[in-house]
Amino acid sequence: MGKENKLSANVKRGLSNTGKDIKEIGATFTEGDWKAKLSFLVMGFGQLMHKQFLRGILFLAIEILFIYYMVSFGAQYLSKIGTLGTQATYTDKSGVIPVTVYGDNSFLILLYGILTIFVVVAFIYLWRVNVRQNRDIQKRLAAGRHLPTGKEDLHSLINENFHKTLLALPNIGVMVFIVIPIIFMICIAFTNYDAEHQPPSALFSWVGLVNFKNLFSLGSAGFGSTFFNVLAWTLVWAFFATFLNYFLGMGVAILINKKGIKFKKLWRTILVLTIAIPQFISLLYMYKMFANDGLVNNYLLKLGLIDAYIPFWANATYARILIILINIWIGIPYMMLMATGILMNIPEDLYESAKIDGANGFQMFMKITLPYMLFVTGPYLLTSYTGNLNNFNVIYLLTQGKPTSMSLTGGAGYTDLLITWLYKLTINDTNYRMAAVLGIMVFVVTAVISLVVYRILPSVKDEEGFQ
Amino acid sequence: MAKETKTRSRSLHNKVSNGITYVVLIIMSIIWLFPFVGLVLQSFRSYATEYGGMVSYIIPKAFSLDNYTYLFSEECSFVRWYTNTLTIAFFVAILNTFMVLCVSFALSRSRFKGRKFLMQFWLILGMFPGFLTMICLYFLLKQFGLTQAGAIPGLILVTVASSGMQYYVCKGYLDTIPKALDESARIDGASNARIALTIILPLAKPIIIYTALTAFIAPWCDYVFASYVAFGYGDSYNVAVALTRWVWTNDYQGFYTRFCAGGVLVAIPVTILFMCLQKYYVEGVTGGAVKG
């Protein structure tokens, strides 16, 4: 209930803000002089007339650039975004010499179409800023106040508007290299972009929800059973990878921190080596170590413990267990470092008084150490879990998702996570549409888990009562 | 009397439990060190007189530098790959730190309209898997000639462009620097930029080192995107891509020990750097965990 109220309140506020905006734009027009009115059409005109040259020239330049962009580039792509192109590029063989006839390219139309939509939205926003500035000029003049000069504007960028200066570059980077590509790929999920539809020779087009239906369809042609198989393993893997590392790492930290244990630094350094040495080296070495002709099998054979080599990577169950074990090898040092830091923050007198009350080590761990750790590292556990859902390196460098099986579609294997499957669909099968759908599913899974756990986290916080 | 026996039994108990702890720690150390010892040992196995592939023993029959000489020989581009990776790591470390500091300072020190929205928006963006956008990014880079032959600047660009989103740990650290410092400087007439450069920046040294260190190490392990962008163009590989290919595809030609030698050469500088700056790393990891 509360949530719904909040939502409707938000919507109401949004609507009333838009209403206010429109009213203000109207007021600027009706109450403004001819300079302000002309600014609606020629951006920066009002500013220029009031000697705010820097602002005026910038706005004017933006408008000119925008028009140039739309005419020369943007409009043609925007107009085709509904169909994603109708005419494929083909070779006309009717003449004596074959001629390549260039047509549309769905990929370009979609990408540049999205880019153009962004440019248009940005332009509308800047136009709105322009109008507001004109309104501001009118108000200030009416009140007999001073208008900021270009020099003052520039100075504000290192003072009261310093955050804008700082955030400009990171924001542009995220927009171009994260936001636009993500929107592009979300769109791909609703098209038939795959190996058979590779523009420019074969265009792709909008297909609606077909790919999503395909992902959930359990028939022999559908991705359904494979998807749920991979999803289940992804969740199980992330669970073990997170919690085993968490508790074992904490345990090791407690062991090393124990009173009377010498060479604390040495033990830590040995473990920390795993973090320092680039993962691809240690993982590939491990992969070879457990190979059929690897060291482990060879020594086991020599010692006479086994008669034939153990197919560690070819057997789905062995491979899964081994991956989790190797991940412990990787994860413990990291958790150990962190736990060491946090354990030192637990007030010593808590343990002292517990000892006087006759608590043993295990009881102290359960009543003092664990609740404290869980409280402090709750958010870390969450990010660690979602991080493990997408732990590409460990899986891909060890098994590449193998062993594969005839009963799994889309080239998936029994140790594939959603993320490695997505990668394989992209690289090996060029099945971009299913890869895109899968990417959206990864997002959904991550988002749902994050939301649910965040709801639970405050209950973890309540346990702080002992402090 | 009774008290004495109790202390004695307790000290005996302590001794036993410490003994068990030592045994556990020693076994763990062996397990943790084994792969690295094996890597080093096998890198010294002779390619010429023994074999470069998989063998059934760990200690080479005769130690030789065959594999290392191969890495630096004409027929192998290892030096090139190494320089590539070093270049990427160097620029990414500097530029990433710059971006992260910009974002962290703005979000930690200023309160502006849209701040909450920006943080939530980036949090949601972070939930999309990175490889989802691979083909789109590849295409974008290709437009500017930043794939294959130009893969190195391309990789730097892609990594740095979105690095602002990894501000969490750094911002958390900046939040702990008291705001009173800013206030008093502002009363003295310092601009925000001046406060950032002269007051906050020196105090943020540990977190700057942490950010730069993690940014420097990451490119050494970057396989996925690096292999995609450099696709089929050997001169643009980084060490991770090149050595992974050796293990996966050239293994039957006996490239295994060469991989070991390359791995050792990659691991040494990174490990030394890491060990020297370990203090800052621990600080960042612990702080980041507590802040979430």
Side-chain angles (χ1 to χ4, degrees), chain A residues 107-108 112 158-159 185 258 262 267 274 280 285 288 298-299 302 329 334 338 392 400 419 423 427 432, chain B residues 17 22 29 32 38 42 54 56 58 129 131-132 135 139 143 192-193 220 224 228 248 251 256 281 289:
Chain A
F107 191 99
L108 294 184
Y112 293 148
I158 62 160
N159 200 11
M185 287 313 291
K258 215 172 146 204
K262 283 178 188 145
W267 307 121
T274 339
F280 84 93
Y285 189 83
K288 278 295 178 192
N298 272 316
Y299 276 101
K302 268 187 202 168
W329 183 86
Y334 190 79
M338 202 158 74
F392 183 89
Q400 301 162 55
I419 186 88
Y423 178 78
I427 299 289
Y432 302 123
Chain B
S17 89
Y22 278 123
S29 301
W32 256 260
Q42 284 165 334
M54 305 291 286
S56 63
I58 185 165
F131 311 141
L132 177 64
I135 54 163
F139 181 82
Q143 291 300 294
N192 276 340
W220 294 90
V224 187
Y228 195 56
W248 282 346
D251 184 32
Y256 176 64
Y281 183 80

Side-chain angles (χ1 to χ4, degrees), chain B residues 148-170:
Chain B
Q148 271 87 39
I152 306 303
L155 275 174
I156 297 174
L157 179 67
V158 168
T159 319
V160 171
S162 58
S163 60
M165 287 170 70
Q166 295 139 16
Y167 65 86
Y168 298 97
V169 176
C170 186

Side-chain angles (χ1 to χ4, degrees), chain A residues 107-108 111-112 158-160 162-163 166-167 169-171 173-179 181-182 184-186 193 252 255-256 258-262 267 269-282 284-289 291 293-295 298-299 302 328-329 332-334 337-338 341-342 376-377 379-380 390 392-393 396-397 400 419 422-423 426-427 432 435-436 439 442-443 446-447 450, chain B residues 17-18 21-22 24-26 28-29 31-36 38-39 42 54-59 98-99 102-103 105-107 110 112 118 121-122 124-125 127-137 139-141 143 157-158 161-162 164-165 190-193 196 220-221 223-224 227-228 239-240 243-244 247-248 251 256 259-260 263 266-267 270-271 274-275 278 281-282 285-286 289-292:
Chain A
F107 191 99
L108 294 184
L111 184 61
Y112 293 148
I158 62 160
N159 200 11
E160 60 265 31
F162 189 46
H163 63 269
L166 288 176
L167 289 173
L169 203 56
N171 258 322
V174 170
M175 270 297 158
V176 176
F177 287 93
I178 302 275
V179 177
I182 283 181
F184 175 81
M185 287 313 291
I186 291 176
Y193 188 19
V252 174
L255 277 190
I256 295 179
K258 215 172 146 204
K259 270 191 200 126
I261 295 294
K262 283 178 188 145
W267 307 121
T269 310
I270 289 174
L271 292 181
V272 164
L273 265 181
T274 339
I275 308 179
I277 292 175
Q279 260 187 20
F280 84 93
I281 299 171
S282 42
L284 287 175
Y285 189 83
M286 289 281 204
Y287 162 67
K288 278 295 178 192
M289 216 166 92
D293 53 354
L295 282 174
N298 272 316
Y299 276 101
K302 268 187 202 168
I328 291 175
W329 183 86
I332 279 186
Y334 190 79
L337 273 187
M338 202 158 74
I342 297 169
V376 171
T377 57
Y380 163 77
N390 294 321
F392 183 89
N393 268 1
Y396 200 73
L397 290 176
Q400 301 162 55
I419 186 88
L422 186 162
Y423 178 78
T426 310
I427 299 289
Y432 302 123
V442 173
F443 168 75
T446 317
S450 301
Chain B
S17 89
N18 278 359
T21 309
Y22 278 123
V24 172
L25 286 176
I26 288 169
M28 279 187 67
S29 301
I31 297 176
W32 256 260
L33 286 179
F34 182 79
F36 302 131
L39 188 80
Q42 284 165 334
M54 305 291 286
V55 290
S56 63
Y57 50 92
I58 185 165
I59 300 166
F98 172 74
M99 296 283 259
C102 281
V103 174
F105 183 84
L107 292 179
S110 309
F112 51 89
L118 184 74
F121 182 57
W122 282 9
I124 293 170
L125 282 184
M127 290 178 188
F128 282 97
F131 311 141
L132 177 64
T133 55
M134 215 163 46
I135 54 163
C136 189
L137 288 178
F139 181 82
L140 278 177
L141 289 181
Q143 291 300 294
L157 179 67
V158 168
S162 58
M165 287 170 70
S191 67
N192 276 340
W220 294 90
C221 313
Y223 169 77
V224 187
S227 72
Y228 195 56
V239 280
L243 294 187
T244 306
V247 172
W248 282 346
D251 184 32
Y256 176 64
F259 156 77
C260 292
V266 170
V270 178
T271 310
F274 188 90
M275 289 300 172
Q278 198 187 340
Y281 183 80
V282 174
V285 166
T286 329
V290 175
K291 288 270 154 16

Side-chain angles (χ1 to χ4, degrees), chain A residues 55-239:
Chain A
R55 291 188 185 190
I57 290 170
L58 274 179
F59 274 115
L60 201 61
I62 287 169
E63 184 166 1
I64 293 168
L65 275 178
F66 175 73
I67 293 171
Y68 177 74
Y69 169 85
M70 286 307 281
V71 171
S72 69
F73 188 81
Q76 48 171 322
Y77 290 107
L78 200 56
S79 64
K80 286 178 189 161
I81 204 165
T83 57
L84 293 179
T86 44
Q87 180 60 58
T89 301
Y90 65 99
T91 314
D92 186 4
K93 291 186 183 124
S94 58
V96 185
I97 309 157
V99 187
T100 310
V101 182
Y102 291 100
D104 299 325
N105 185 334
S106 314
F107 191 99
L108 294 184
I109 291 171
L110 186 54
L111 184 61
Y112 293 148
I114 292 168
L115 184 71
T116 308
I117 292 173
F118 266 79
V119 170
V120 169
V121 171
F123 180 75
I124 292 174
Y125 173 76
L126 288 169
W127 180 81
R128 175 78 189 90
V129 172
N130 162 57
V131 169
R132 176 164 290 156
Q133 280 191 5
N134 273 293
R135 172 101 176 138
D136 189 48
I137 289 174
Q138 303 283 324
K139 271 190 188 162
R140 275 173 187 258
L141 287 179
R145 282 192 303 156
H146 151 87
L147 294 179
T149 63
K151 207 175 161 194
E152 284 166 347
D153 280 341
L154 282 180
H155 184 74
S156 85
L157 283 179
I158 62 160
N159 200 11
E160 60 265 31
N161 281 329
F162 189 46
H163 63 269
K164 287 184 188 162
T165 320
L166 288 176
L167 289 173
L169 203 56
N171 258 322
I172 293 172
V174 170
M175 270 297 158
V176 176
F177 287 93
I178 302 275
V179 177
I180 291 182
I182 283 181
I183 292 178
F184 175 81
M185 287 313 291
I186 291 176
C187 290
I188 290 291
F190 300 93
T191 69
N192 57 1
Y193 188 19
D194 56 22
E196 279 146 36
H197 299 87
Q198 300 265 16
S201 54
L203 301 181
F204 59 83
S205 56
W206 299 109
V207 293
L209 290 170
V210 167
N211 301 324
F212 288 88
K213 272 183 204 145
N214 187 15
L215 186 72
F216 292 112
S217 76
L218 290 166
S220 56
F223 276 65
S225 64
T226 310
F227 171 66
F228 289 113
N229 212 314
V230 174
L231 177 65
W233 161 240
T234 306
L235 295 174
V236 169
W237 144 262
F239 178 82

Side-chain angles (χ1 to χ4, degrees), chain B residues 211-225:
Chain B
T211 315
L213 178 67
T214 44
F216 184 86
I217 290 181
W220 294 90
C221 313
D222 181 19
Y223 169 77
V224 187
F225 200 64

